[in-house]
Amino acid sequence: MRRVAFSLLFLLAAFARPGLANTFSTDSTDLWYIPSESGWGANLVQQNEIIFVTIFVYSATGAPTWFVGPATQFTGTDGNGLNFTGPLYQTTGPYYGAVFNPSAVTNRQVGTVTFVTPMQEQGRLTYTVDGVTVVKNVVRQTFRNNNLTGVYIGGQVGTFAGCAAPAENGYKETAGFVLVNHTGESISMSADGCTYSGAYVQDGRLGRASGGFSCSNGRTGNFLAIEMEGSLSGMDARLESQSGACAFSGRIGGVKRQQ
């Protein structure tokens, strides 16, 4: 396993709580499962503070069975992360091969579902069906890596703290180009005179990276980037860096430049 400096481990611990990837929280939208239990899973779609949960499992007879939690709502934060809880239903309806009649759909509440997100890549799914409680520690299912390579027009925003020179501390905004080179499990990002290089890991639809950085002003240290998302329009990530006592916490990204 790759060895990392103590300061980076400190950053990882500080990032145990989800950050802001959508308008409310780290976006839980993804397909979640347990690699050693391939064959069942949970599909989560998050909009603001509500998650629509679909669980596809099997009955006691082995028949395919699914449950839905259409209003799994944020209920608070504790030491384990953000908590979302709501009622869980089983539904029946008309045959898919015939004309669909919405009035023939019925639902029955079988229990409740709770989803807790301690980290970007991990979650705990707890649900109860007719008195039977199931607890599963799940991860995002990854079947394809994103490629974030590109030139982006944007910049970096965030707060510096603990730096030796008082003028270096406080909230800073830097507009400019963000250059990203991404190949497989390696990535580098350059912005505001600094280059961040390290290992990249894909967690479902989100990515994370960690490694070292160096700046044109001589500052060096370790960094951690999470909630890394890319699209045809652009990319963004949450960025933390540590150089001795000088720490940065903010975001990096921009609109993708047409080339």
Side-chain angles (χ1 to χ4, degrees):
M1 180 178 292
R2 188 175 67 255
R3 303 179 69 89
V4 294
F6 173 79
S7 57
L8 182 56
L9 290 175
F10 175 80
L11 286 174
L12 287 167
F15 262 72
R17 299 181 306 276
L20 300 174
N22 60 22
T23 57
F24 180 76
S25 70
T26 296
D27 198 340
S28 296
T29 300
D30 228 319
L31 183 60
W32 296 77
Y33 81 135
I34 298 177
S36 62
E37 298 181 3
S38 181
W40 76 272
N43 188 38
L44 276 60
V45 179
Q46 182 175 350
Q47 295 182 11
N48 203 29
E49 83 286 10
I50 300 291
I51 299 177
F52 192 115
V53 180
T54 305
I55 304 171
F56 48 97
V57 287
Y58 306 95
S59 70
T61 62
T65 305
W66 57 283
F67 304 100
V68 294
T72 310
Q73 186 167 1
F74 174 70
T75 57
T77 304
D78 58 25
N80 295 316
L82 303 184
N83 289 260
F84 298 82
T85 300
L88 189 67
Y89 300 92
Q90 186 172 31
T91 65
T92 61
Y95 170 52
Y96 62 84
V99 177
F100 190 83
N101 179 11
S103 63
V105 177
T106 65
N107 67 78
R108 177 178 70 90
Q109 183 174 352
V110 295
T112 59
V113 59
T114 297
F115 186 71
V116 182
T117 56
M119 299 183 73
Q120 166 182 294
E121 69 274 19
Q122 300 175 5
R124 186 175 71 247
L125 180 68
T126 303
Y127 62 96
T128 301
V129 176
D130 295 332
V132 177
T133 299
V134 179
V135 181
K136 297 287 187 177
N137 293 317
V138 292
V139 297
R140 297 174 187 261
Q141 184 169 358
T142 302
F143 47 84
R144 196 69 169 177
N145 279 7
N146 285 332
N147 190 320
L148 303 178
T149 296
V151 179
Y152 302 89
I153 302 174
Q156 183 174 303
V157 299
T159 302
F160 287 90
C163 303
E168 295 180 353
N169 295 310
Y171 178 75
K172 309 288 183 182
E173 295 181 351
T174 305
F177 290 107
V178 179
L179 283 68
V180 179
N181 289 305
H182 181 193
T183 303
E185 298 178 352
S186 298
I187 194 169
S188 69
M189 302 183 295
S190 297
D192 192 24
C194 298
T195 298
Y196 307 85
S197 300
Y200 177 87
V201 178
Q202 191 72 43
D203 298 314
R205 51 184 292 271
L206 300 180
R208 54 190 163 97
S210 60
F213 76 93
S214 61
C215 303
S216 56
N217 62 5
R219 187 161 52 94
T220 62
N222 296 311
F223 83 94
L224 174 67
I226 66 170
E227 298 167 1
M228 302 184 75
E229 289 191 271
S231 69
L232 295 176
S233 300
M235 67 82 66
D236 67 277
R238 185 175 173 183
L239 178 66
E240 297 271 319
S241 67
Q242 187 87 33
S243 178
C246 187
F248 171 82
S249 177
R251 299 200 69 86
I252 186 172
V255 177
K256 191 169 187 178
R257 185 182 184 188
Q258 290 185 336
Q259 295 176 314

